[in-house]
C-alpha cells in the first residue's frame, strides 16, 4: 500500500491529522468563487431592498439645564452655613422619566391614540412615503394611498380598559363606519361629530377624513400605562459634562413621525419646567403657612410683654436703667436675636438632615455657645438691685419679642415676593428639533448583508467540503488496494453538451455525456480522450493475464460515466486498428445506443430470448472496426436472461469474431447483473466518479463482485476536475493540443 499524500481529501486530513489545512480551505473557496460572490451579491441586494422598504426612524433632541437651588427660609445664610450644595442631576433624570411627567405628555399629545393606514404588504408603506397616489384600478380598494388621511380629535374609552383596536372604513364625503377586531359594526359617523358607542363604551371624534370610499384605517387606543411605557422606551436622557456635574441634560426621542417627535419632546420639557416651578412655589407656600401661624402668637407675646413692662414702671415710679444695665440689655437682645435665627435655620435643617449630620451638629454647638453666653450675662445682672433686674428682664422680653416679630414680618414679605416670582431651577436652553434620520443605516445594513452573504456562502462551501466524502484522488483508491488504470479528466465540451441535452424533456436524466455521440470521434484531441488512450495502453498489459478478450465496465452507482468510458474506449481501440464491439449489458436502462444515435430495439434482450440471431444483433458504426449491440427491449427478468446459456454462447461468438469485447453493465450496488456478467468474463474494471463515490461504496461494490466470483482488476477515476482545494501535491493535466496536416 502506498503512503497517502499530504493533500488528500478533507476527510483523510481530519482523520490523519488534527489540524486545519489552510491550502484546502482557500482552495475550496477559490473553486466555488462564483457561488460565494453570487450569494454575496444576493445578500447585498436583499440589504438594499430592506433599507429601502424599512420605515425610517428619526431623532429629535432638546437641552435642559438644572441649576443649584437653595432653601427657602434663610436661604443665603443657610447655604453659607452648609458650605454650598453639590449639584446632582440623577434625581432630575428620574423625575423626567417618571409617570407623573410622561403621563401628562401622553395626555397632551394624545400618544395613547394611534392611526395606522392599511396599505399593501411589504411595499405599501414605501409607496405611501413616496407620495404615490391611488391608481385608477385600485378604486374601492381597502388600501390607503398618498393624500388620504384620517385625524382623530378625541377617542375616549373606559378608564380601566386595555389596549383596543378598531377598523375605520371610509364611506366617502367624510362619512365612516367603525368595526371591532372581529368585523362587527360598532357604529356609523361623520367627520367633526362625536360617535358614541355603548358596547364597548367609547366616544370618537374624527376631525378630518380625506379618503375615498373603501379605504380602511386601523385605530389603536392604548391604555395610558402602555402609552407611558412606550414613550419611556423611546426617550433617552444623557447628562453632559462627563464625570463633572454641569447640570445640562440632553433629551433625545426617536420615532417615525417627525411632528410627533417635536410635540412630545417639547411637551416633556414644558411639563418638567412647570412641575419644577410648582415644586418651588410649594416650598414657599409651606414656609409662609408656618410663619402666618406663628406671627399672631408672637404679636400676642409682644403685647403681653409691653403690658407687663408698663405696669411695672407704674408700680415703681418709672425707674430708669443705668448705663451698665442698658449695655447688658443690648447684649442680651443681640444674643436672643441670634438664637432665634438659629432656631429658624434648625427648622430648615431638620427637614434635610439628621441630628448626627456634621452641619446640623455645628449649628447645635453654635446655639449652645450662645446659650452659655446668655447665662453668663444673666449671672452678671444678678448683682444689680432688684428693681433694675426686673426692669431689665421686662425690657429684654419686649425688645426680643419685638425683634422676632419684625423678623417674621420681613420673612413673610420675602416669601410672598418669592412665591409671586418663582422661576424654579430648571431652564430650557434648546427647544426640540429633529436632527435627521437615524435608522435604517443603509450603508451599514448593506455592508453587513454582504458580509453575511459571503460568510454564509463560505460556510456552506466548507461544510460541503467536510461532509463530501467522495474520492478525489487516485491515492485514495490505491489505499483500498485497487490499482488505478487511468484518471479521466472531465471534458469541458462534453460537460457543456451534456447540460444542453439535460435541459430537454426526454434526455434530462442523462448525466454522463453519452447522449451526444462519441467524443473520441468528434474531438480526438480532447483531454478525456487522451486519458482514455492511456487506459487503452494499460489494458493491453492488464488483459494479458485474462482468460479471454472480454472487458466488463461496471461501477458502484448510476450516472458516473460507465457508458461514456465504454463507448469511447472502444472508439480509441478501433482507431488503433483493433476490431472492437461494445455490448450494452444494461437491459433495464442502458443507453449505449444514444452514443451511436440509433434506437435500442433488436438488441441483447431479443438475442437472449431467441427472437434474434447473433449476427443480426451486431450493428456497425461510423468508425471502421467498431461495432455495437444495443440493450434491446426492456425485459421483465433481465438477471434470469443473463444466467441463460445463450448469453455465454453469445459472448463466445463475439469473442471469436472481435479482438476486444467491451461490456457496459448496470451499477453493482443497484442490481446483480454486473456480477453475473463479470463471472463469465476475464477482466472487470470499476468506474469511480470523482467526488461522488465514497470509499465505503467502493469497498461494498468490490465485496459484491467478490461474492459473485468476480476478480476486480482495478479502477478508472472518471470526471477528474482540477480544483484548487486538492491540487497541492497532485499531478495535473496539461494541454498538448495539435492539429493534423
Amino acid at each position: 500500500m502506498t503512503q497517502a499524500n499530504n493533500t488528500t481529501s478533507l476527510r483523510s486530513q481530519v482523520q490523519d491529522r488534527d489540524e486545519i489545512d489552510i491550502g484546502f480551505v482557500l482552495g475550496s473557496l477559490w473553486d466555488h468563487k462564483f457561488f460565494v460572490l453570487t450569494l454575496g451579491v444576493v445578500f447585498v441586494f436583499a440589504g438594499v431592498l430592506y433599507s429601502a422598504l424599512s420605515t425610517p426612524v428619526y431623532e429629535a433632541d432638546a437641552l435642559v439645564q438644572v441649576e443649584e437651588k437653595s432653601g427657602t427660609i434663610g436661604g443665603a445664610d443657610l447655604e453659607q452655613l452648609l458650605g454650598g450644595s453639590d449639584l446632582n442631576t440623577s434625581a432630575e433624570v428620574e423625575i423626567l422619566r417618571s409617570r407623573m411627567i410622561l403621563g401628562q405628555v401622553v395626555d397632551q399629545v394624545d400618544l395613547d391614540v394611534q392611526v395606522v393606514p392599511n396599505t399593501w404588504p411589504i411595499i405599501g408603506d414605501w409607496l405611501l412615503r413616496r407620495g404615490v397616489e391611488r391608481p385608477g384600478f385600485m378604486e374601492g380598494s381597502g388600501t390607503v394611498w398618498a393624500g388620504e388621511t384620517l385625524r382623530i380629535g378625541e377617542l375616549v374609552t373606559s378608564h380601566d380598559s386595555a389596549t383596543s383596536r378598531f377598523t375605520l372604513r371610509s364611506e366617502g364625503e367624510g362619512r365612516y363606519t367603525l368595526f371591532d377586531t372581529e368585523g362587527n359594526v360598532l357604529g356609523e359617523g361623520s367627520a367633526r361629530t362625536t360617535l358614541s358607542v355603548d358596547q364597548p363604551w367609547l366616544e370618537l371624534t374624527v376631525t378630518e377624513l380625506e379618503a375615498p370610499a373603501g379605504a380602511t384605517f386601523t385605530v389603536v387606543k392604548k391604555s395610558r400605562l402602555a402609552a407611558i411605557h412606550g414613550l419611556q422606551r423611546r426617550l433617552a436622557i444623557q447628562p453632559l459634562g462627563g464625570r463633572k456635574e454641569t447640570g445640562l441634560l440632553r433629551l433625545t426621542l426617536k420615532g417615525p413621525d417627525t411632528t410627533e417627535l417635536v410635540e412630545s419632546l417639547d411637551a416633556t420639557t414644558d411639563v418638567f419646567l412647570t412641575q419644577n416651578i410648582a415644586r418651588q412655589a410649594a416650598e414657599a407656600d409651606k414656609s409662609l403657612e408656618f410663619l402666618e401661624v406663628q406671627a399672631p402668637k408672637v404679636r400676642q407675646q409682644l403685647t403681653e410683654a409691653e403690658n407687663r413692662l408698663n405696669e411695672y414702671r407704674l408700680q415703681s415710679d418709672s425707674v430708669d436703667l443705668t448705663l451698665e444695665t442698658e449695655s447688658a440689655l443690648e447684649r442680651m437682645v443681640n444674643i436672643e436675636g441670634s438664637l432665634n435665627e438659629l432656631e429658624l435655620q434648625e427648622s430648615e435643617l431638620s427637614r434635610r438632615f439628621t441630628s448626627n449630620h456634621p452641619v446640623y451638629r455645628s449649628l447645635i454647638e453654635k446655639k449652645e455657645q450662645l446659650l452659655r453666653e446668655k447665662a453668663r450675662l444673666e449671672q452678671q445682672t444678678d448683682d444689680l438691685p432688684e428693681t433694675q433686674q426686673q426692669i431689665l428682664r421686662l425690657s429684654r422680653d419686649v425688645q426680643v419679642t419685638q425683634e422676632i416679630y419684625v423678623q417674621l414680618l420681613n420673612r413673610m414679605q420675602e416669601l410672598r415676593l418669592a412665591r409671586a416670582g418663582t422661576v424654579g431651577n430648571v431652564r430650557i436652553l434648546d427647544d426640540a428639533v429633529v436632527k435627521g434620520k437615524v435608522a435604517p443605516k443603509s450603508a451599514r445594513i448593506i455592508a453587513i448583508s454582504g458580509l453575511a452573504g459571503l460568510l454564509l456562502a463560505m460556510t456552506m462551501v466548507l461544510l460541503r467540503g467536510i461532509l463530501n466524502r467522495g474520492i478525489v484522488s487516485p491515492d485514495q483508491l490505491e489505499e483500498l488496494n485497487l490499482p488505478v488504470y487511468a484518471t479521466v479528466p472531465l471534458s469541458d465540451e462534453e460537460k457543456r453538451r451534456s447540460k444542453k441535452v439535460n435541459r430537454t424533456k426526454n434526455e434530462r436524466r442523462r448525466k454522463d455525456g453519452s447522449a451526444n455521440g462519441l467524443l473520441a470521434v468528434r474531438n480526438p484531441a480532447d483531454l478525456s480522450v487522451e486519458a482514455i488512450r492511456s487506459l487503452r495502453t494499460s489494458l493491453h498489459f492488464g488483459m494479458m493475464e485474462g482468460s479471454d478478450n472480454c472487458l466488463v465496465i461496471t461501477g458502484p452507482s448510476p450516472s458516473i460515466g460507465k457508458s461514456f468510458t465504454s463507448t469511447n474506449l472502444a472508439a480509441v481501440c478501433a482507431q488503433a486498428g483493433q476490431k472492437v464491439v461494445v455490448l450494452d449489458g444494461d437491459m433495464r436502462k442502458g443507453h449505449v445506443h444514444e452514443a451511436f444515435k440509433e434506437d435500442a430495439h433488436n438488441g441483447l434482450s431479443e438475442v437472449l430470448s431467441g427472437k434474434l440471431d447473433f449476427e443480426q444483433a451486431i450493428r456497425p458504426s461510423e468508425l471502421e472496426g467498431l461495432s455495437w449491440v444495443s440493450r434491446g427491449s426492456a425485459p421483465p427478468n433481465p438477471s434470469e436472461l443473463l444466467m441463460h446459456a445463450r448469453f455465454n454462447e453469445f459472448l463466445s461468438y463475439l469473442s471469436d469474431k472481435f479482438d476486444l469485447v467491451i461490456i457496459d453493465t448496470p451499477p453493482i450496488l443497484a442490481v446483480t447483473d454486473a456480477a453475473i456478467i463479470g463471472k463469465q468474463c476475464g477482466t472487470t474494471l470499476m468506474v469511480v466518479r470523482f467526488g461522488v463515490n465514497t470509499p465505503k461504496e467502493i469497498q461494498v461494490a468490490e465485496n459484491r463482485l467478490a461474492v459473485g466470483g468476480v476478480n476486480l482488476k482495478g479502477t478508472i477515476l472518471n470526471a477528474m476536475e482540477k480544483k484548487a482545494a486538492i491540487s497541492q501535491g497532485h499531478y495535473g493535466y496539461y494541454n498538448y493540443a495539435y492539429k493534423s496536416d
Side-chain angles (χ1 to χ4, degrees):
M1 182 186 301
T2 61
Q3 185 178 2
N5 291 335
N6 291 333
T7 53
T8 58
S9 70
L10 180 62
R11 183 181 179 218
S12 299
Q13 294 174 349
V14 173
Q15 291 178 345
D16 298 339
R17 305 178 303 173
D18 290 335
E19 61 183 30
I20 298 177
D21 191 336
I22 301 300
F24 181 86
V25 172
L26 296 178
S28 298
L29 297 178
W30 180 256
D31 292 334
H32 300 84
K33 55 184 176 294
F34 295 110
F35 169 74
V36 173
L37 293 176
T38 300
L39 195 59
V41 171
V42 169
F43 270 66
V44 167
F45 178 75
V48 172
L49 195 62
Y50 175 81
S51 300
L53 297 180
S54 296
T55 301
V57 177
Y58 301 92
E59 182 181 76
D61 68 343
L63 188 62
V64 174
Q65 180 185 19
V66 180
E67 300 173 325
E68 297 183 10
K69 72 177 178 179
S70 60
T72 304
I73 300 179
D77 294 336
L78 182 59
E79 292 301 328
Q80 183 177 4
L81 177 66
L82 298 178
S85 62
D86 293 334
L87 183 63
N88 188 354
T89 58
S90 300
E92 306 299 336
V93 170
E94 296 304 321
I95 292 174
L96 273 167
R97 297 182 58 84
S98 66
R99 291 193 295 270
M100 177 186 69
I101 300 295
L102 299 185
Q104 297 181 51
V105 175
V106 168
D107 297 337
Q108 290 184 17
V109 191
D110 292 333
L111 294 181
D112 54 342
V113 179
Q114 182 180 8
V115 177
V116 181
N118 296 328
T119 59
W120 273 14
I122 303 176
I123 65 172
D125 291 339
W126 180 80
L127 294 174
L128 201 62
R129 292 193 302 271
R130 295 294 176 182
V132 179
E133 297 184 354
R134 182 184 295 269
F137 67 89
M138 293 300 295
E139 291 296 334
S141 171
T143 56
V144 176
W145 297 76
E148 303 171 2
T149 59
L150 168 65
R151 298 186 186 278
I152 294 180
E154 185 179 18
L155 175 57
V156 182
T157 59
S158 177
H159 177 72
D160 56 350
S161 63
T163 300
S164 305
R165 291 179 177 270
F166 308 96
T167 299
L168 189 147
R169 184 182 66 194
S170 174
E171 304 297 344
E173 298 180 354
R175 295 177 294 106
Y176 64 88
T177 303
L178 189 66
F179 302 87
D180 60 11
T181 54
E182 297 179 356
N184 301 318
V185 177
L186 297 179
E188 297 180 354
S190 59
R192 292 175 292 279
T193 60
T194 300
L195 171 66
S196 298
V197 178
D198 294 333
Q199 189 64 32
W201 182 82
L202 63 89
E203 292 182 353
L204 173 64
T205 303
V206 175
T207 57
E208 181 182 356
L209 178 58
E210 295 291 339
T216 59
F217 300 83
T218 298
V219 181
V220 182
K221 173 63 176 179
K222 301 179 182 178
S223 66
R224 191 169 186 269
L225 185 59
I228 292 173
H229 288 168
L231 182 58
Q232 285 176 336
R233 287 191 294 268
R234 295 190 294 135
L235 179 64
I237 305 173
Q238 180 185 7
L240 303 182
R243 296 183 178 180
K244 182 180 179 181
E245 288 285 358
T246 61
L248 297 178
L249 301 177
R250 183 173 299 281
L251 284 66
T252 57
L253 188 65
K254 296 180 181 179
D257 189 349
T258 56
T259 303
E260 181 267 330
L261 290 179
V262 174
E263 291 179 354
S264 299
L265 203 52
D266 279 340
T268 302
T269 55
D270 290 341
V271 170
F272 180 54
L273 177 61
T274 304
Q275 174 271 336
N276 183 265
I277 294 175
R279 176 61 179 168
Q280 298 282 31
E283 292 184 5
D285 288 339
K286 187 174 182 180
S287 299
L288 185 59
E289 181 182 356
F290 170 75
L291 295 180
E292 287 177 344
V293 173
Q294 296 299 320
K297 295 180 181 180
V298 176
R299 181 72 181 90
Q300 179 65 28
Q301 294 174 3
L302 176 60
T303 302
E304 293 176 355
E306 289 176 344
N307 292 335
R308 287 194 299 270
L309 177 61
N310 293 332
E311 290 177 359
Y312 188 78
R313 284 182 181 275
L314 290 174
Q315 294 176 4
S316 304
D317 289 333
S318 300
V319 177
D320 294 328
L321 297 177
T322 64
L323 292 177
E324 182 181 0
T325 305
E326 288 182 355
S327 176
L329 176 61
E330 183 178 358
R331 284 184 292 170
M332 293 183 69
V333 170
N334 291 336
I335 291 174
E336 288 289 349
S338 298
L339 286 173
N340 182 66
E341 185 177 350
L342 289 178
E343 287 179 359
L344 292 176
Q345 293 179 3
E346 184 179 1
S347 66
E348 176 74 13
L349 285 176
S350 62
R351 297 199 302 265
R352 302 173 60 181
F353 304 107
T354 63
S355 59
N356 294 326
H357 194 275
V359 176
Y360 195 93
R361 292 178 61 184
S362 176
L363 185 142
I364 296 299
E365 291 176 359
K366 188 175 181 180
K367 181 179 178 181
E368 291 176 351
Q369 180 182 356
L370 292 175
L371 288 173
R372 287 194 299 269
E373 186 175 355
K374 177 183 176 182
R376 184 176 58 82
L377 287 175
E378 289 178 349
Q379 186 177 5
Q380 291 178 0
T381 58
D382 289 342
D383 297 335
L384 296 175
E386 180 63 27
T387 304
Q388 292 289 326
Q389 292 183 20
Q390 190 65 23
I391 290 295
L392 176 62
R393 294 189 188 99
L394 294 176
S395 300
R396 181 193 62 186
D397 292 341
V398 171
Q399 293 187 23
V400 169
T401 307
Q402 185 177 11
E403 187 168 341
I404 293 175
Y405 183 65
V406 171
Q407 287 181 352
L408 289 178
L409 293 179
N410 291 336
R411 190 59 187 156
M412 290 172 61
Q413 188 66 25
E414 290 176 4
L415 290 175
R416 290 190 182 97
L417 293 175
R419 182 178 60 180
T422 300
V423 295
N425 66 322
V426 171
R427 197 163 49 136
I428 301 175
L429 300 181
D430 293 335
D431 291 329
V433 63
V434 177
K435 295 194 299 184
K437 187 174 72 173
V438 295
K441 299 184 181 297
S442 301
R444 181 181 300 178
I445 290 175
I446 295 172
I448 293 176
S449 300
L451 292 176
L454 294 176
L455 182 60
L456 177 62
M458 291 187 291
T459 302
M460 293 172 62
V461 168
L462 296 179
L463 285 178
R464 181 182 178 184
I466 293 174
L467 298 177
N468 183 18
R469 299 175 296 172
I471 295 294
V472 293
S473 74
D475 301 319
Q476 293 176 273
L477 293 171
E478 292 176 358
E479 289 178 356
L480 300 175
N481 292 327
L482 292 175
V484 180
Y485 275 67
T487 55
V488 181
L490 180 64
S491 171
D492 292 336
E493 177 186 351
E494 199 70 15
K495 184 178 180 181
R496 290 192 299 269
R497 293 175 65 88
S498 179
K499 286 182 178 180
K500 184 177 180 180
V501 173
N502 288 340
R503 285 193 292 266
T504 63
K505 179 177 179 180
N506 296 327
E507 299 297 333
R508 189 170 298 169
R509 73 181 190 275
R510 310 305 183 201
K511 298 180 181 179
D512 58 3
S514 60
N516 301 306
L518 295 173
L519 180 63
V521 176
R522 189 173 63 250
N523 187 6
D526 191 90
L527 288 177
S528 299
V529 178
E530 292 292 343
I532 292 177
R533 289 192 180 98
S534 68
L535 173 62
R536 177 188 64 188
T537 304
S538 300
L539 283 176
H540 175 73
F541 300 99
M543 295 185 66
M544 288 183 179
E545 301 176 359
S547 58
D548 53 29
N549 61 345
C550 295
L551 172 64
V552 175
I553 302 294
T554 185
S557 59
S559 303
I560 59 175
K562 301 183 301 298
S563 299
F564 171 79
T565 304
S566 301
T567 55
N568 283 279
L569 175 61
V572 297
C573 290
Q575 289 172 345
Q578 291 181 288
K579 192 176 181 182
V580 186
V581 63
V582 179
L583 173 62
D584 191 348
D586 187 356
M587 290 181 287
R588 292 176 172 83
K589 300 173 67 176
H591 45 83
V592 169
H593 58 280
E594 295 171 355
F596 297 95
K597 302 177 182 179
E598 294 189 22
D599 55 57
H601 299 295
N602 297 325
L604 178 61
S605 62
E606 284 79 11
V607 171
L608 298 184
S609 61
K611 298 179 182 180
L612 192 68
D613 294 335
F614 293 166
E615 183 65 30
Q616 293 175 339
I618 301 174
R619 306 186 194 183
S621 69
E622 59 180 345
L623 186 62
E624 184 180 356
L626 176 60
S627 301
W628 63 283
V629 179
S630 67
R631 61 177 172 84
S633 302
N637 54 346
S639 297
E640 288 75 8
L641 289 178
L642 291 174
M643 297 177 66
H644 199 275
R646 188 168 174 81
F647 178 65
N648 194 17
E649 294 174 1
F650 187 48
L651 286 181
S652 299
Y653 175 80
L654 295 177
S655 180
D656 293 339
K657 190 172 182 179
F658 294 93
D659 299 329
L660 178 63
V661 179
I662 300 176
I663 307 172
D664 180 29
T665 63
I668 184 62
L669 295 182
V671 292
T672 60
D673 297 9
I676 297 173
I677 298 174
K679 177 65 176 177
Q680 304 180 52
C681 299
T683 306
T684 300
L685 294 180
M686 181 187 299
V687 175
V688 177
R689 181 84 178 194
F690 173 87
V692 175
N693 298 121
T694 64
K696 185 63 176 179
E697 285 181 339
I698 297 170
Q699 288 180 334
V700 174
E702 183 184 12
N703 293 336
R704 291 272 181 93
L705 293 172
V707 170
V710 179
N711 182 23
L712 184 62
K713 275 284 186 178
T715 59
I716 303 170
L717 184 56
N718 186 37
M720 186 83 171
E721 297 183 52
K722 186 176 182 181
K723 291 184 176 292
I726 58 173
S727 62
Q728 303 174 9
H730 289 295
Y731 51 86
Y733 295 95
Y734 301 95
N735 190 1
Y736 197 62
Y738 65 95
K739 291 184 179 180
S740 61
D741 296 335

